[in-house]
């Protein structure tokens, strides 16, 4: 149930853009074509972020060079506004209060979310559209105007899908003959009209403005209704419309012994990913709050200042020197996973020197001594080494992400991989990954631009797929131009 | 032969209780190598206590040069245990945690970005503002499952339901981590949802580009969030990697890889 706007323009020189869920004014210096593209884009997906992205395209995505603009979009029960430069947005809220926004003085622009609104106007250079404006209503247009004035309507929850009409962008100018405006059938009167709206019937439409009716966008999901279907037991409190600050008695009504603590949260509530992820909380007696140890209890007023003293020039700069205990890659153990908290184990037999080995081996892959005895679970040892053509050698003790600027992300599993940076332009940002499964070493191409080729003794080179590929000793991963990774000492 | 891994940082921080709340339940720590924001929940003063307990667990890391993944995990675990100890018969307060510690992978200086809940970390590079962390929220879950289209996300009303937190009766919180090589000129933003619920990512990016001083940038973002509505507590950390020294030059440029027709020819 999103609000809709019905707009009355004051003709002028700036661009006025109107669509059912919003209106905007853009500086006159923007081309008519650009104004059109903007209208077309917001018409498809009228969201403030989308509007701004489209506007940014007009300035080559330089956000600091955006043209002056003002925009108002329906958002839930209220509106979102944004303004940059010498435009003014004046809003009369449904509760009768007035508020005003201007972009003057902001180095970027100003955004504001407001609750239910009864009327809104946008004016260029302080212009306020008065009653003398054109006696027409717009719901979809690109026009030249100096001000737009809107009354906010609330659409009925179950609007029948209107008949599709050929959707072509409206011409900016010259002005076309008007089309009758069926603004009324899917609308209900505003909650608190600030002034009468001229009928809305076709006969009231003036003769000098564009009016086009387009196919409605795909039936928008009724988000408001959808979000009420929360799982039982997870009380969900949102604060968006809280009229008053949370007072000291905000949970006085909580029944004694009530264990559904979600009720107590004033802003955020929690809903477990799956029911298994949350268990009955362990209730213990109240314990004192742990004291922050170094007086950096937060939020400190200006923690940066505290640390200034240790730096040289009064600015918050710190030099971090090379540490000792962390440098050798082989010494960095994979951290225990927080969720599973158990080290990776493999089924192993032992050699005479007690090296763990794959159960099928007869000779130790490390020392060559004979293997034997019963197989038992053991912590997985390093599965050999990876020799890089640049000279570096890495233990295969934890996963490795290889690339020009490689990243290990959320999907990389519980252990933090080692990053191997290869500073070559033909290598992709994140190019490939080395991972393990049991005793196996696997390579996965990460959708690299130029691919990874697997060179195996006696075989023709094969382009590595994006699915895990099993590696064997002496395999070479070739990234082109002599950049190669060689597997050594694999079990 | 090569410089020791090192980073020169400048940073700023700002926090405000907002226009509609009695308490600031956010807490933060901005002191190298730790930049962390916690957003507490629990009503009464419980939220404050939860977020402060989280931050207290990270104080020990301050002053070290780089933080290992093990040490980070330990701090997060400790934070979770500290919040769990605040639970009483009627309430189990909780907190989000998000941020980054300085880490190294081999000789490569990195950001080790992590989160539990819906506080966020972003990286601003010359080409884009990228949200690194992924919210543990009902909204994100719907997006991940394809049950909600990205273009409808902005209109999704119920953005305050999170699926993961420290404390809050959750015994095994999921911690997501990203290890990202740091590069000179990069700017890290860590914030509570009081910022991202109020402002578009576009305005956040524009402000980060417009304000070179990290403290001014943090204060400006908080002021903008208040101006936009200030419905929630808002906390912002801005950290600039002024200079990053590593053994090899990591070539930045995001997704731009020089297409290479020779590779195929050489290897075919
Ligand atoms: Zn052996």
């Amino acid at each position: 149930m999103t609000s809709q706007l019905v707009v009355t323009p004051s003709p002028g020189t700036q661009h006025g853009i109107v669509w059912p869920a919003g209106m905007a004014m853009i500086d006159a210096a923007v081309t008519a074509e650009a104004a059109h593209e903007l209208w077309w884009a917001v018409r498809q997906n009228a969201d403030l972020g989308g509007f701004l992205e489209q506007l940014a395209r007009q300035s080559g995505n330089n956000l600091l060079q955006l043209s002056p603009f003002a925009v108002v979009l329906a958002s839930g029960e209220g509106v979102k506004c944004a303004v940059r430069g010498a435009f003014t947005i004046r809003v009369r809220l449904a509760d009768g209060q007035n508020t005003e926004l201007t972009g003057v003085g902001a180095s970027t622009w100003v955004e504001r979310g407001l609750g239910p609104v009864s009327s809104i106007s946008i004016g260029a250079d302080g212009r306020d559209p008065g009653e003398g404006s054109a006696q027409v209503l717009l719901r979809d247009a690109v026009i030249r105007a100096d001000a737009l004035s809107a009354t906010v309507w609330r659409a009925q929850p179950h609007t029948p899908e209107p008949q599709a009409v050929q959707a072509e962008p409206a011409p900016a100018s010259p002005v076309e003959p008007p089309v009758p405006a069926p603004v009324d059938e899917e609308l209900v009167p505003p909650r608190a009209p600030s002034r009468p709206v001229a009928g809305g019937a076709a006969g009231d439409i003036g003769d000098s403005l564009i009016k086009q009716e387009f196919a409605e966008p795909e039936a928008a999901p009724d988000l408001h209704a959808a979000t009420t279907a929360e799982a039982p037991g997870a009380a969900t409190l949102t604060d968006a419309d809280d009229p008053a600050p949370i007072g000291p008695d905000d949970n006085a009504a909580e029944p004694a012994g009530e264990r559904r603590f979600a009720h107590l949260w004033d802003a955020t509530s929690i809903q477990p990913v799956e029911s298994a992820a949350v268990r009955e909380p362990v209730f213990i007696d109240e314990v004192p709050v742990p004291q922050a140890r170094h007086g950096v209890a937060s939020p400190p007023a200006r923690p940066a200042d505290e640390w200034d003293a240790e730096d040289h020039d009064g600015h918050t700069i710190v030099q971090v020197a090379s540490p000792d205990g962390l440098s050798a890659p082989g010494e960095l153990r994979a951290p225990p996973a927080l969720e599973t908290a158990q080290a990776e184990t493999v089924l192993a037999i032992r050699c005479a020197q007690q090296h763990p080995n794959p159960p099928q081996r007869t000779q130790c892959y490390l020392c060559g001594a004979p293997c034997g005895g019963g197989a038992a679970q053991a912590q997985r040892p390093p599965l050999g080494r990876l020799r890089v053509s640049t000279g570096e050698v890495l233990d295969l003790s934890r996963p490795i992400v290889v690339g020009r600027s490689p990243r290990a992300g959320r999907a990389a599993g519980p252990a933090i991989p080692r990053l191997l940076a290869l500073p070559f332009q033909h290598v992709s940002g994140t190019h490939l990954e080395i991972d393990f499964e049991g005793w196996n070493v696997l390579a996965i191409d990460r959708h690299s631009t130029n691919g990874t080729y697997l060179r195996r003794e006696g075989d023709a080179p094969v382009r590595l797929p994006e699915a895990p590929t099993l590696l064997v000793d002496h395999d070479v991963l070739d990234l082109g131009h002599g950049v190669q990774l060689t597997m050594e000492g694999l079990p | 032969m090569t410089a020791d891994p090192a980073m020169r940082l400048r940073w700023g921080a700002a926090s405000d209780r907002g226009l509609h709340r009695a308490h600031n339940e956010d807490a933060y720590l901005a002191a190298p190598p730790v930049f962390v924001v916690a957003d507490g929940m629990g009503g009464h003063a419980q939220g404050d206590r939860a977020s402060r307990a989280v931050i207290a667990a990270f104080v020990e890391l301050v002053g070290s040069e780089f933080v290992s993944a093990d040490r980070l995990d330990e701090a997060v675990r400790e934070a979770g245990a500290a919040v769990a100890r605040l639970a009483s018969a009627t309430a189990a307060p909780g907190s989000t945690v998000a941020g980054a510690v300085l880490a190294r992978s081999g000789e490569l200086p990195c950001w080790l970005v992590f989160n539990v809940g819906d506080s966020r970390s972003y990286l601003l590079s010359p080409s884009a503002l990228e949200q690194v962390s992924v919210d543990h929220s009902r909204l994100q879950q719907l997006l991940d499952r394809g049950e909600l289209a990205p273009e409808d996300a902005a209109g999704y009303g119920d953005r305050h339901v999170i699926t993961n937190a420290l404390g809050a009766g959750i015994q095994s919180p999921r911690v997501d981590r990203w290890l990202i090589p740091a590069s000179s000129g990069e700017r890290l933003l860590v914030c509570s949802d009081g910022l991202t619920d109020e402002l578009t990512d576009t305005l956040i990016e524009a402000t980060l580009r417009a304000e070179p001083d990290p403290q001014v940038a943090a204060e400006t973002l908080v002021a903008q969030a208040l101006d936009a509505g200030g419905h929630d507590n808002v906390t912002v950390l801005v950290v600039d990697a002024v200079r990053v020294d590593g053994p090899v030059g990591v070539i930045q440029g995001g997704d731009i890889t020089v297409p290479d027709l020779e590779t195929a020819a050489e290897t075919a």
Side-chain angles (χ1 to χ4, degrees):
Chain A
M1 188 165 16
T2 296
S3 305
Q4 297 205 347
L5 309 180
V6 179
V7 177
T8 308
S10 298
T13 57
Q14 317 284 325
H15 296 286
I17 301 175
V18 178
W19 67 102
M23 63 177 182
M25 291 192 66
I26 312 296
D27 191 77
V30 169
T31 65
E33 196 183 17
H36 247 124
E37 282 173 19
L38 192 56
W39 170 81
W40 185 243
V42 292
R43 188 66 180 70
Q44 309 300 311
N45 174 25
D47 137 292
L48 182 54
F51 174 90
L52 293 167
E53 275 167 35
Q54 187 62 33
L55 188 65
R57 255 171 238 152
Q58 314 299 339
S59 60
N61 285 318
N62 185 340
L63 295 179
L64 303 183
Q65 299 291 324
L66 292 193
S67 311
F69 68 89
V71 60
V72 175
L73 295 109
S75 171
E77 300 283 297
V79 293
K80 290 250 189 215
C81 309
V83 57
R84 171 176 170 86
F87 285 104
T88 303
I89 300 177
R90 292 183 177 83
V91 182
R92 188 172 175 79
L93 297 165
D95 65 8
Q97 283 189 310
N98 294 306
T99 184
E100 202 174 282
L101 278 89
T102 172
V104 175
S107 62
T108 51
W109 60 90
V110 174
E111 294 182 359
R112 189 168 299 167
L114 295 166
V117 157
S118 62
S119 66
I120 311 173
S121 66
I122 302 177
D125 282 324
R127 259 203 67 175
D128 195 10
E131 290 295 324
S133 305
Q135 292 298 303
V136 294
L137 299 177
L138 299 176
R139 284 193 60 220
D140 241 326
V142 182
I143 57 168
R144 291 282 181 171
D146 276 349
L148 300 173
S149 174
T151 303
V152 180
W153 301 73
R154 292 178 62 219
Q156 286 180 349
H158 299 293
T159 307
E161 192 69 8
Q163 286 300 308
V165 176
Q166 184 57 43
E168 284 294 319
S173 61
V175 159
E176 274 194 356
V179 178
V183 290
D184 46 355
E185 64 216 289
E186 56 189 280
L187 301 172
V188 295
R191 287 165 163 184
S194 58
R195 61 189 173 101
V197 172
D204 291 321
I205 299 296
D207 60 3
S208 63
L209 287 150
I210 304 156
K211 175 66 191 78
Q212 296 198 5
E213 191 64 30
F214 293 103
E216 287 297 312
E218 289 294 293
D222 188 344
L223 292 170
H224 193 267
T227 57
T228 59
E230 284 304 336
T236 302
L237 305 174
T238 52
D239 58 322
D241 297 320
D242 274 359
I246 304 299
D249 298 328
D250 56 331
N251 50 18
E254 188 66 18
E258 174 60 84
R259 291 194 162 199
R260 281 157 58 182
F261 43 81
H263 288 97
L264 302 178
W265 299 338
D266 53 0
T268 302
S269 68
I270 183 138
Q271 189 176 41
V273 182
E274 303 300 345
S275 53
V278 73
R279 297 173 181 81
E280 191 68 6
V282 179
F283 295 108
I284 57 171
D285 288 340
E286 196 97 3
V287 294
V289 186
Q291 298 295 311
R293 269 149 279 187
H294 297 161
V296 195
S298 52
R302 284 289 155 71
D305 291 346
E306 293 177 24
W307 294 87
D308 277 352
E310 298 186 3
D311 288 312
H312 27 81
D313 61 0
H315 250 307
T316 44
I317 292 175
V318 67
Q319 177 88 40
V320 181
S322 178
D324 287 325
L326 295 171
S327 50
E331 290 167 19
L332 271 172
R333 285 179 301 114
L338 283 159
E339 285 179 303
T340 57
Q342 59 190 31
E344 197 91 41
T345 59
V346 285
L347 196 61
I349 54 172
R350 303 275 175 173
C351 74
Q353 310 272 353
Q354 293 304 309
H355 296 133
N357 272 267
Q360 72 276 14
R361 283 200 71 98
T362 52
Q363 281 190 314
C364 176
Y365 80 101
L366 291 173
C367 66
C371 299
Q377 290 293 327
Q379 196 162 336
R380 181 169 60 207
L383 300 182
R385 295 170 305 280
L386 182 146
R387 183 175 296 278
V388 189
S389 50
T390 55
E392 221 172 327
V393 179
L394 307 184
D395 258 4
L396 293 172
S397 53
R398 56 191 179 125
I400 301 172
V401 181
V402 183
R404 195 179 66 243
S405 175
R407 282 184 172 202
R410 190 190 193 192
I416 300 253
R418 165 73 193 268
L419 305 182
L420 173 60
L422 297 172
F424 303 100
Q425 288 289 0
H426 70 284
V427 174
S428 291
T430 296
H431 195 109
L432 80 128
E433 212 171 307
I434 308 286
D435 205 350
F436 312 113
E437 196 182 271
W439 286 98
N440 297 323
V441 179
L442 308 167
I444 305 111
D445 187 85
R446 289 283 305 274
H447 197 63
S448 66
T449 304
N450 295 313
T452 307
Y453 290 82
L454 171 59
R455 297 173 173 278
R456 182 167 293 170
E457 284 171 343
D459 289 348
V462 178
R463 183 164 180 162
L464 203 64
E466 289 176 35
T469 300
L470 185 65
L471 300 181
V472 299
D473 204 11
H474 308 304
D475 273 355
V476 175
L477 295 170
D478 192 341
L479 285 75
H481 295 284
V483 179
Q484 298 190 331
L485 313 174
T486 305
M487 303 300 140
E488 294 181 355
L490 269 57
Chain B
M1 186 179 75
T2 54
D4 282 334
M7 290 175 72
R8 288 170 72 91
L9 304 177
R10 292 177 70 196
W11 67 93
S15 182
D16 198 284
R17 141 174 94 89
L19 307 177
H20 301 269
R21 301 242 181 256
H23 305 285
N24 192 346
E25 299 192 326
D26 286 358
Y28 67 88
L29 179 62
V34 189
F35 299 92
V36 189
V37 167
D39 178 354
M41 47 200 151
H44 267 309
Q46 297 285 351
D48 319 22
R49 298 169 69 191
S51 60
R52 276 154 188 70
V54 168
I55 294 301
F58 286 87
V59 169
E60 272 184 8
L61 302 178
V62 173
S64 52
E65 290 145 330
F66 290 102
V67 177
S68 69
D70 286 350
R71 289 285 284 125
L72 174 66
D73 288 350
E74 199 183 305
V76 174
R77 246 193 317 265
E78 208 176 284
V83 179
R85 283 196 295 271
L86 298 177
S88 67
T90 53
S95 179
T96 69
V97 66
V101 294
L102 303 185
R104 56 192 294 210
S105 186
E107 300 293 302
L108 205 60
C110 294
W111 305 104
L112 180 51
V113 174
F114 64 99
N115 77 304
V116 180
D118 66 350
S119 300
R120 292 181 179 173
S121 297
Y122 292 77
L123 270 178
L124 182 76
S125 68
S127 58
L129 176 69
E130 181 200 0
Q131 183 182 330
V132 176
S133 57
V134 177
D135 293 351
H136 297 145
S137 68
R138 177 80 184 133
L139 171 60
Q140 184 64 44
Q141 202 176 73
L142 291 173
L143 289 170
D144 289 347
R145 291 179 183 167
E147 290 168 23
L148 186 69
E151 57 267 28
D152 297 325
Y156 182 77
D158 213 355
R159 24 187 80 247
H160 294 112
V161 180
I162 62 174
T163 51
N164 191 12
L166 298 175
I170 293 185
Q171 292 191 346
S172 309
R174 172 197 167 111
V175 185
D176 283 336
R177 294 164 300 189
W178 291 259
L179 187 59
I180 301 169
S183 51
S184 303
E186 218 165 36
R187 177 170 264 196
L188 173 79
L189 167 72
V190 185
C191 60
S192 60
D193 64 342
L195 181 75
T196 47
D197 280 355
E198 299 289 358
L199 303 181
T200 60
D201 281 4
T202 320
L203 180 54
I204 293 171
E205 179 178 348
T207 304
L208 290 172
R209 293 197 189 286
E211 300 294 350
D213 183 299
Q215 182 61 32
V216 175
E219 286 170 10
T220 305
L221 285 169
V222 168
Q224 286 170 331
L226 297 182
D227 196 28
H231 294 93
D232 201 351
N233 308 146
V234 53
T235 300
V236 174
L237 311 184
V238 176
V239 188
D240 289 340
V242 178
R243 209 182 80 208
V244 177
D245 297 330
V248 288
V250 174
I251 299 181
Q252 290 297 322
D255 35 8
I256 304 158
T257 303
V258 177
D260 184 7
L261 300 174
E262 284 178 52
T263 309
E266 276 175 25
T267 49

